[in-house]
Amino acid sequence: MGSAVERTDEHVREYLIYRGFTSTLKNLDSEIKADKEKGFRVDKIIDQLQQFVQNFDLFGLKEYWLYLDRRLFCRLEDVYRATVNKLRTSLYRYYVINTIQKGNLEKTQEFFQKQALELQVQAEWRDWFILPFIPIPEQNSAFSPYFSRQWADTFLVSLHNFLSVLFQCMHILLIDPPVLLSFDAEVQRTTSLTEENDQLRQLLFALQTENRDQRDGDEVVHHKLPVYVQNMDRLGDTEL
């Protein structure tokens, strides 16, 4: 999905340049740059979330996740809501752990102050409110796993896989793609079929050439000579 959107954007840009619609092109580039869905590129969405985390931008992180929820996650069946909530919980924990690892305890306390009303009713956060008051949380048995690189990598990979599958199924779960995206898919399918036909044509030519060479070789090896020529070794000089 992401690659198709990116190619379509390039086609539109080429068309605008060809037509000389410079103002429209500037607006397009500006809106693409500010696109929260990042052209449905999962890697760019993950990068944006990590940027909010690294910059201690809790407001931006919450707003961006809320946008993704309204735009994408809310269209899923209810059975996937638990997965979405679990990913959001991990994302917030990822943020909190980063504030502690970077030594920014002010942002750690800010998180719990601003999220208190929302998180205090959630069982999975009940024990986390003591985190800012633990001297060395990395060595605490309850929190030490979250400070490991393995936990962070596992969370990011899980989020990446979830978004990837979601975007692949958008035509089923969300809305029908616009005509331009369908055109791009048709172009890709036609290109793939053309390449496959070329490969099959080359294979057929190679097989035909091989069969022809083999047939010519058989005619040379198995050609029957006349009887008198076959018996020449038994003839005398005068009989030749």
Side-chain angles (χ1 to χ4, degrees), residues 161-189:
N161 292 341
F162 179 78
L163 292 174
S164 297
V165 174
L166 176 61
F167 290 153
Q168 290 174 7
C169 301
M170 279 190 64
H171 63 287
I172 300 175
L173 299 175
L174 302 177
I175 56 177
D176 293 330
V179 176
L180 279 177
L181 285 181
S182 301
F183 171 77
D184 180 83
E186 185 65 24
V187 169
Q188 295 300 315
R189 189 178 71 86

Coordinates of all heavy atoms in Angstrom, one line a residue, residues 161-189:
N161 N 4.6 -4.7 12.5 CA 3.9 -5.8 11.8 C 2.4 -5.6 11.8 O 1.7 -5.8 10.8 CB 4.2 -7.1 12.5 CG 5.6 -7.6 12.4 OD1 6.3 -7.2 11.4 ND2 6.1 -8.5 13.2
F162 N 1.9 -5.0 12.9 CA 0.5 -4.7 13.0 C 0.1 -3.7 12.0 O -0.9 -3.9 11.3 CB 0.1 -4.2 14.4 CG -1.3 -3.9 14.6 CD1 -2.2 -4.8 14.8 CD2 -1.7 -2.5 14.6 CE1 -3.6 -4.5 15.0 CE2 -3.0 -2.2 14.8 CZ -4.0 -3.2 15.0
L163 N 0.8 -2.6 11.9 CA 0.5 -1.6 10.9 C 0.7 -2.1 9.4 O -0.1 -1.8 8.6 CB 1.4 -0.4 11.1 CG 1.2 0.4 12.4 CD1 2.2 1.5 12.5 CD2 -0.2 1.0 12.4
S164 N 1.7 -3.0 9.2 CA 1.9 -3.5 7.9 C 0.7 -4.3 7.4 O 0.2 -4.2 6.3 CB 3.1 -4.4 7.9 OG 4.3 -3.6 8.1
V165 N 0.2 -5.2 8.3 CA -1.0 -6.1 8.0 C -2.2 -5.2 7.8 O -3.0 -5.4 6.9 CB -1.2 -7.1 9.1 CG1 -2.5 -7.9 8.8 CG2 0.0 -8.1 9.1
L166 N -2.3 -4.2 8.6 CA -3.5 -3.3 8.5 C -3.5 -2.6 7.2 O -4.6 -2.5 6.5 CB -3.4 -2.2 9.6 CG -4.5 -1.2 9.6 CD1 -5.9 -1.8 9.8 CD2 -4.3 -0.2 10.8
F167 N -2.4 -2.1 6.7 CA -2.3 -1.3 5.4 C -2.5 -2.3 4.3 O -3.1 -1.9 3.2 CB -1.0 -0.6 5.3 CG -0.9 0.6 6.3 CD1 0.3 1.0 6.7 CD2 -2.0 1.2 6.7 CE1 0.5 2.1 7.6 CE2 -1.9 2.3 7.6 CZ -0.7 2.7 8.0
Q168 N -2.1 -3.5 4.4 CA -2.3 -4.5 3.3 C -3.8 -4.8 3.2 O -4.2 -5.2 2.1 CB -1.5 -5.7 3.6 CG 0.0 -5.6 3.4 CD 0.8 -6.8 3.9 OE1 0.2 -7.8 4.1 NE2 2.1 -6.7 3.9
C169 N -4.5 -4.7 4.3 CA -5.9 -5.1 4.2 C -6.8 -3.9 4.2 O -8.1 -4.1 4.4 CB -6.3 -6.0 5.5 SG -5.3 -7.5 5.6
M170 N -6.3 -2.8 3.9 CA -7.1 -1.5 3.9 C -8.3 -1.6 2.9 O -9.4 -1.1 3.2 CB -6.3 -0.3 3.6 CG -5.5 0.2 4.8 SD -4.8 1.8 4.5 CE -6.2 2.8 4.3
H171 N -8.1 -2.3 1.8 CA -9.2 -2.3 0.8 C -10.3 -3.2 1.3 O -11.5 -3.1 0.8 CB -8.6 -2.9 -0.5 CG -8.1 -4.3 -0.4 ND1 -7.0 -4.6 0.2 CD2 -8.7 -5.5 -0.8 CE1 -6.8 -5.9 0.2 NE2 -7.8 -6.5 -0.4
I172 N -10.1 -4.0 2.3 CA -11.1 -4.8 2.9 C -11.7 -4.2 4.2 O -12.9 -4.1 4.4 CB -10.6 -6.2 3.3 CG1 -10.1 -6.9 2.0 CG2 -11.6 -7.1 4.0 CD1 -9.4 -8.3 2.3
L173 N -10.8 -3.6 5.0 CA -11.2 -3.1 6.3 C -11.7 -1.7 6.3 O -12.5 -1.3 7.1 CB -10.0 -3.3 7.3 CG -9.5 -4.7 7.5 CD1 -8.3 -4.6 8.4 CD2 -10.6 -5.5 8.2
L174 N -11.1 -0.9 5.4 CA -11.4 0.5 5.5 C -12.2 1.0 4.3 O -13.4 0.8 4.3 CB -10.1 1.3 5.5 CG -9.2 0.9 6.7 CD1 -7.9 1.7 6.6 CD2 -9.8 1.2 8.0
I175 N -11.6 1.5 3.3 CA -12.4 2.1 2.2 C -11.7 1.5 0.9 O -10.6 1.1 0.8 CB -12.3 3.6 2.2 CG1 -10.8 4.1 2.2 CG2 -13.0 4.2 3.4 CD1 -10.7 5.6 2.1
D176 N -12.5 1.6 -0.2 CA -12.0 1.2 -1.5 C -10.9 2.2 -1.9 O -11.1 3.4 -1.7 CB -13.1 1.2 -2.5 CG -14.1 0.1 -2.2 OD1 -13.7 -0.9 -1.6 OD2 -15.3 0.2 -2.6
P177 N -9.9 1.8 -2.5 CA -8.8 2.7 -2.9 C -9.3 3.6 -4.1 O -10.2 3.2 -4.9 CB -7.7 1.8 -3.4 CG -8.4 0.5 -3.8 CD -9.5 0.4 -2.8
P178 N -8.8 4.8 -4.2 CA -9.2 5.6 -5.3 C -8.7 5.0 -6.6 O -7.9 4.1 -6.7 CB -8.4 7.0 -5.0 CG -7.3 6.6 -4.1 CD -7.8 5.4 -3.3
V179 N -9.3 5.6 -7.7 CA -9.0 5.1 -9.1 C -7.5 5.1 -9.4 O -7.0 4.2 -10.0 CB -9.8 5.9 -10.1 CG1 -9.5 5.4 -11.5 CG2 -11.3 5.7 -9.8
L180 N -6.9 6.2 -8.9 CA -5.5 6.3 -9.2 C -4.6 5.2 -8.7 O -3.7 4.7 -9.3 CB -4.9 7.7 -8.7 CG -5.2 8.9 -9.6 CD1 -4.7 10.2 -8.9 CD2 -4.6 8.8 -11.0
L181 N -5.0 4.8 -7.4 CA -4.3 3.7 -6.8 C -4.6 2.4 -7.6 O -3.7 1.5 -7.7 CB -4.6 3.5 -5.4 CG -4.0 4.6 -4.4 CD1 -4.4 4.3 -3.0 CD2 -2.5 4.5 -4.5
S182 N -5.8 2.2 -8.0 CA -6.2 1.0 -8.8 C -5.4 1.0 -10.1 O -5.0 0.0 -10.6 CB -7.7 1.0 -9.1 OG -8.4 1.0 -7.9
F183 N -5.2 2.2 -10.7 CA -4.5 2.3 -12.0 C -3.0 1.9 -11.7 O -2.4 1.2 -12.5 CB -4.5 3.7 -12.5 CG -3.6 4.0 -13.6 CD1 -3.9 3.6 -14.9 CD2 -2.4 4.7 -13.4 CE1 -3.0 3.8 -16.0 CE2 -1.5 4.9 -14.5 CZ -1.9 4.5 -15.8
D184 N -2.4 2.3 -10.6 CA -1.1 2.0 -10.3 C -0.9 0.5 -10.1 O 0.0 -0.2 -10.6 CB -0.6 2.7 -9.0 CG 0.8 2.3 -8.7 OD1 1.8 2.9 -9.2 OD2 1.0 1.4 -7.8
A185 N -1.9 -0.1 -9.5 CA -1.9 -1.6 -9.3 C -2.0 -2.3 -10.6 O -1.3 -3.3 -10.8 CB -3.0 -2.0 -8.3
E186 N -2.8 -1.8 -11.5 CA -3.0 -2.4 -12.8 C -1.7 -2.3 -13.6 O -1.3 -3.2 -14.3 CB -4.1 -1.7 -13.6 CG -4.5 -2.3 -14.9 CD -5.0 -3.8 -14.8 OE1 -5.5 -4.1 -13.7 OE2 -4.8 -4.5 -15.8
V187 N -1.0 -1.1 -13.5 CA 0.3 -0.9 -14.2 C 1.3 -1.9 -13.7 O 2.0 -2.6 -14.5 CB 0.8 0.5 -14.0 CG1 2.2 0.6 -14.5 CG2 -0.1 1.5 -14.8
Q188 N 1.3 -2.1 -12.4 CA 2.3 -3.1 -11.8 C 2.0 -4.5 -12.2 O 2.9 -5.3 -12.5 CB 2.2 -3.0 -10.2 CG 2.7 -1.6 -9.7 CD 4.1 -1.3 -10.1 OE1 5.0 -2.2 -10.0 NE2 4.4 -0.1 -10.5
R189 N 0.7 -4.8 -12.3 CA 0.3 -6.1 -12.7 C 0.7 -6.4 -14.2 O 1.2 -7.4 -14.6 CB -1.2 -6.3 -12.5 CG -1.7 -7.8 -12.8 CD -3.2 -7.9 -12.5 NE -3.9 -7.2 -13.6 CZ -4.3 -7.9 -14.7 NH1 -3.9 -9.1 -14.9 NH2 -4.9 -7.2 -15.6

